[in-house]
Amino acid sequence: MPVPKQTVDGRELNEVGSHSRHGLLEVADLLGAQSDEFTKRVFARLFVQFPDLRDAFPANMQPHRKELFMILDHAMRAIPASDDHGEVIELLGQLGRDYRKFGLVDWHYEALQGAMYGEIVRTCGPDNLDAADLALVEHTTHLVTGIMRGAAQSDPTPALRTARVIEVLRPQRDLTIVRLVAGRSMLFRAGQYVETQIPQLPGSWRPFSIAMPPNTAGHLEFHIRAVPGGWVSRTIAQETAPGDVWQFGQIHGQMRVDGNRPVTMVAGGTGLAPMKSLLMQMSISSDNPRVHLVAGAKSPGALYDSDALTALAATNPWLRVTQVTEEREDPWWMDRPAPSHRILTVRQGTVVDALSGLDLRGQQVLIAGPPDMIRAAVATAETVGAKPGRIVHDPLTA
Ligand SMILES: Cc1cc2nc3c(=O)[nH]c(=O)nc-3n(C[C@H](O)[C@H](O)[C@H](O)COP(=O)(O)OP(=O)(O)OC[C@H]3O[C@@H](n4cnc5c(N)ncnc54)[C@H](O)[C@@H]3O)c2cc1C
């Protein structure tokens, strides 16, 4: 679908690009060499003007600096490149909607534009930019912050939502299942993920997939794997308890089943969460394409939710489930033995090994799990016939 022309303050993206095809690319290259210093100074300028914002953002700004630079860099390269600016507009809009959780409003964007402009000029060196370059940088920073601000303003959903923890299950040493009830039912689609903040760690937002489809009672479920040294995931494993109030920001995600093509779902570890949500949603209807879920874990005892998957597969003839485990035996310290009875097929290997034995021509492929697994699964899916445009996964970082 053609994306409508984006204008900010009467200027079009193309208009900026037409000033100079090379200017912005050169600026992007110069900034890229000092990206971390550049974004450090942009945020420092913003926080000097608005100290409250410093408290709203997390202590560790590195991921936010990286994200802001990545999107700015993308914009500077995309603006002169072509007429199709849909992707960059979406990325900027998403960032603007996301920044609502830190309390950014109109006047912060004016300051952000000033900080970006000032620091681009300083980083590139004022002597390296002529009057046309300066105009180009000014237009670009207005456009970038204008799109972010516009998206934030036009989002009808509240910037923040809360839900109360009602149940915490710890079926394995490093896996926590958290169930909550939202004060007001949340609008989302099965398969999406949400920016989440737990009360123990204000300012530390992490994306987590919602492991069930939306319902009018506002019930939510999350599957959280504690990663080694993980700040938020370990705190959830150790401290989350009924009564905690979690905060949620922007809801994202394009994971969905489209049309009647057969679907292969690939879930590594808690990548099962969005797939389970989609399957639960689909199970409401009998008219579904064939679905093959391949769910993997390190060892049999690390597989989880097997009972729920068994029930889903038993009652939905369109669904087939294969579980795979890298190891045949559990490590000696694993306190939960693998279930003794198995109805689902269990194979040895990784989910990527399992994919390599399939024929994915003409299929939709949905993938969720740790970033390295997603990368490997995408590459393998393509080698066994999946078209790149039909492979969907969440961003590797968010
Ligand atoms: C779109 C999306 C959806 C997600 N959904 C879920 C979900 O449903 N359930 C879930 O448990 N997690 C999910 N995650 C991962 C989650 O957002 C956090 O990244 C993860 O919980 C680690 O956060 P932390 O604060 O504990 O670790 P941090 O303190 O941020 O990082 C500590 C260390 O752990 C490493 N690390 C970070 N993530 C992982 C990982 N996935 N595997 C191994 N090492 C890692 C870091 O590189 C770092 O070295 C999702 C991530 C994305 C991008």
Side-chain angles (χ1 to χ4, degrees):
M1 203 174 75
V3 177
K5 278 199 163 57
Q6 180 76 30
T7 59
V8 177
D9 302 336
R11 287 180 287 252
E12 286 180 7
L13 288 180
N14 288 345
E15 196 188 325
V16 174
S18 66
H19 282 299
S20 156
R21 289 188 68 79
H22 300 296
L24 273 184
L25 299 181
E26 277 168 22
V27 170
D29 288 343
L30 284 169
L31 288 185
Q34 304 175 60
S35 61
D36 203 44
E37 270 311 300
F38 164 73
T39 45
K40 249 184 215 165
R41 290 199 298 258
V42 168
F43 276 113
R45 278 197 188 212
L46 191 64
F47 293 157
V48 163
Q49 284 187 62
F50 302 103
D52 287 358
L53 280 187
R54 181 64 203 96
D55 297 334
F57 274 89
N60 176 12
M61 284 296 294
Q62 216 266 337
H64 293 285
R65 291 203 299 270
K66 205 169 148 195
E67 180 184 42
L68 181 67
F69 185 77
M70 192 191 74
I71 294 177
L72 180 63
D73 181 72
H74 190 68
M76 287 191 295
R77 293 177 193 283
I79 286 171
S82 77
D83 277 351
D84 183 8
H85 296 117
E87 191 197 348
V88 73
I89 291 168
E90 179 49 33
L91 279 174
L92 287 166
Q94 196 166 310
L95 189 62
R97 288 190 291 272
D98 203 30
Y99 274 6
R100 295 188 310 153
K101 68 177 185 261
F102 300 124
L104 257 77
V105 290
D106 272 8
W107 51 86
H108 297 131
Y109 282 103
E110 283 167 32
L112 182 61
Q113 184 276 328
M116 278 182 179
Y117 175 77
E119 289 306 330
I120 291 177
V121 174
R122 173 175 157 164
T123 308
C124 293
D127 296 343
N128 293 324
L129 302 172
D130 60 22
D133 293 331
L134 289 175
L136 191 61
V137 170
E138 198 191 348
H139 283 218
T140 304
T141 50
H142 271 295
L143 279 166
V144 162
T145 52
I147 294 169
M148 290 171 68
R149 189 187 58 208
Q153 277 174 347
S154 58
D155 190 328
T157 62
L160 289 171
R161 282 148 287 208
T162 57
R164 187 173 295 277
V165 175
I166 51 161
E167 190 175 23
V168 181
L169 306 171
R170 295 190 168 89
Q172 297 163 7
R173 191 185 284 202
D174 59 0
L175 177 70
T176 311
I177 309 252
V178 185
R179 296 195 175 124
L180 307 96
V181 182
R184 283 194 299 168
S185 68
M186 288 184 9
L187 285 178
F188 64 95
R189 282 194 320 269
Q192 288 196 299
Y193 62 94
V194 61
E195 298 294 327
T196 306
Q197 179 186 245
I198 60 171
Q200 292 82 2
L201 295 171
S204 295
W205 292 86
R206 297 290 183 274
F208 290 118
S209 298
I210 308 169
M212 60 188 290
N215 64 49
T216 48
H219 294 156
L220 300 168
E221 179 174 304
F222 294 90
H223 303 167
I224 317 288
R225 178 81 62 189
V227 302
W231 190 236
V232 173
S233 60
R234 292 240 149 244
T235 305
I236 292 173
Q238 287 158 11
E239 296 181 30
T240 291
D244 285 3
V245 175
W246 285 17
Q247 278 205 311
F248 299 107
Q250 199 60 33
I251 296 169
H252 307 277
Q254 302 301 326
M255 197 93 77
R256 69 173 92 189
V257 170
D258 277 330
N260 287 323
R261 284 177 189 285
V263 185
T264 296
M265 295 181 175
V266 185
T270 53
L272 184 59
M275 305 307 175
K276 185 180 172 195
S277 173
L278 286 165
L279 292 173
M280 286 170 72
Q281 177 79 57
M282 292 170 80
S283 69
I284 295 168
S285 149
S286 56
D287 184 19
N288 288 304
R290 279 186 292 115
V291 178
H292 181 193
L293 169 69
V294 181
K298 284 249 173 337
S299 71
L303 290 167
Y304 75 96
D305 246 353
S306 300
D307 290 348
L309 294 178
T310 302
L312 275 168
T315 48
N316 294 287
W318 43 267
L319 175 63
R320 180 158 71 97
V321 178
T322 303
Q323 292 180 316
V324 293
T325 66
E326 288 171 41
E327 308 295 336
R328 227 183 263 281
E329 302 292 333
D330 289 323
W332 61 269
W333 48 261
M334 190 165 259
D335 36 6
R336 298 264 162 181
S340 53
H341 69 284
R342 291 207 163 275
I343 299 166
L344 304 172
T345 312
V346 185
R347 302 222 170 97
Q348 199 195 349
T350 63
V351 286
V352 176
D353 297 334
L355 267 190
S356 64
L358 303 177
D359 178 357
L360 298 184
R361 279 174 297 180
Q363 300 225 0
Q364 303 175 60
V365 183
L366 311 184
I367 305 175
D372 288 348
M373 183 228 97
I374 294 180
R375 284 189 201 95
V378 169
T380 304
E382 285 180 18
T383 61
V384 294
K387 283 205 170 142
R390 298 215 180 98
I391 302 175
V392 184
H393 60 82
D394 286 330
L396 300 177
T397 54

